[in-house]
Amino acid sequence: MKYRLAIFDLDGTLLDTLQDLANSLNYALKNAGFPQRSIDEVRRFVGNGIRKLIERGVPAGTSEEETERVLADFMEHYKAHCSDSTRPYDGIDELLDALKEGEYLTAVVSNKADSAVKILCEKYFSGKFDAVVGERQGVRKKPAPDTVNSVLAQLGIDREDAVYIGDSEVDVETARNAGMDCISVEWGFRSRAELVRAGAAKIISRPSEILGEV
């Protein structure tokens, strides 16, 4: 056992949430009379939290007041529709079961709103995580190491005994800022080329490969 704790990103790593995010963004944009965004655009916009998704989704020059209205509409819609099309990636359930059987601790750290993270983890992965943390007011989101550090403190694990697993440049930087090893996955919202450009040291193509790295 190389590590004691595996910390996972959520969107693009454990769950394919892209369609539901796009649907809620486009619902809010339509309400504001703004152009719709494609799936590929939304894929590029995600990774830095919901506010950044909205700021990237609205037209350039949109006022702060209008951006806030779009954000509020998005949040209301996403709360009711966050699991309409969302599904775990193939092999994730088996991976988490194998980690538990191997007596690893597991956690989720996401830039998604904390309430949504907890709802989705309970719906799809009930009982499979020892800690679940999303974006909360007053706590810096990834790539700042604050949420990762809170999980380490909560579970009493030294950072050298933990690994961060994610699908984006934000996750690579988060692990770097937290002083931890990182495993990058290429089935999520970023391509292998994008991960390489971000400085990813270890890239895997299937969830089962994680077992050989931890």
Side-chain angles (χ1 to χ4, degrees), residues 36-47:
Q36 305 282 279
R37 294 293 193 169
S38 69
I39 283 286
D40 284 340
E41 286 177 311
V42 177
R43 186 190 304 275
R44 295 196 301 271
F45 294 162
V46 298

Side-chain angles (χ1 to χ4, degrees), residues 6-188:
I7 303 177
F8 291 88
D9 171 53
L10 186 63
D11 294 44
T13 301
L14 298 173
L15 292 176
D16 184 355
T17 57
L18 192 60
Q19 188 64 60
D20 286 330
L21 288 168
N23 289 347
S24 291
L25 175 61
N26 282 328
Y27 168 85
L29 291 173
K30 183 178 180 180
N31 279 356
F34 293 149
Q36 305 282 279
R37 294 293 193 169
S38 69
I39 283 286
D40 284 340
E41 286 177 311
V42 177
R43 186 190 304 275
R44 295 196 301 271
F45 294 162
V46 298
N48 296 95
I50 295 301
R51 177 170 290 279
K52 277 294 183 185
L53 168 62
I54 301 305
E55 290 174 355
R56 291 164 177 164
V58 298
T62 300
S63 69
E64 180 67 23
E65 184 179 1
E66 275 197 293
T67 301
E68 287 295 328
R69 282 200 295 269
V70 174
L71 174 60
D73 281 351
F74 174 94
M75 294 299 291
E76 181 180 2
H77 188 271
Y78 193 68
K79 184 177 181 180
H81 297 279
C82 66
S83 61
D84 288 359
S85 300
T86 289
R87 296 290 182 273
Y89 288 102
D90 290 345
I92 290 297
D93 282 322
E94 294 81 357
L95 166 65
L96 296 176
D97 288 342
L99 289 172
K100 281 302 178 187
E101 289 171 10
E103 299 186 350
Y104 291 90
L105 295 173
T106 55
V108 170
V109 170
S110 172
N111 275 344
K112 187 189 289 292
D114 190 65
S115 58
V117 174
K118 287 178 167 55
I119 288 169
L120 290 171
C121 284
E122 179 60 28
K123 178 178 176 66
Y124 295 105
F125 308 118
S126 181
K128 294 188 178 184
F129 290 106
D130 300 286
V132 174
V133 176
E135 182 181 4
R136 295 169 292 175
Q137 191 170 7
V139 179
R140 293 186 301 169
K141 61 181 181 292
K142 301 184 301 180
D146 302 39
T147 46
V148 171
N149 289 339
S150 71
V151 166
L152 295 175
Q154 179 181 337
L155 299 180
I157 299 294
D158 294 330
R159 64 190 68 249
E160 59 266 24
D161 293 324
V163 62
Y164 194 86
I165 302 163
D167 72 303
S168 76
E169 71 285 351
V170 175
D171 299 310
V172 173
E173 189 175 352
T174 298
R176 186 181 300 125
N177 290 339
M180 291 171 48
D181 290 342
C182 182
I183 298 172
S184 297
V185 308
E186 65 172 346
W187 58 77

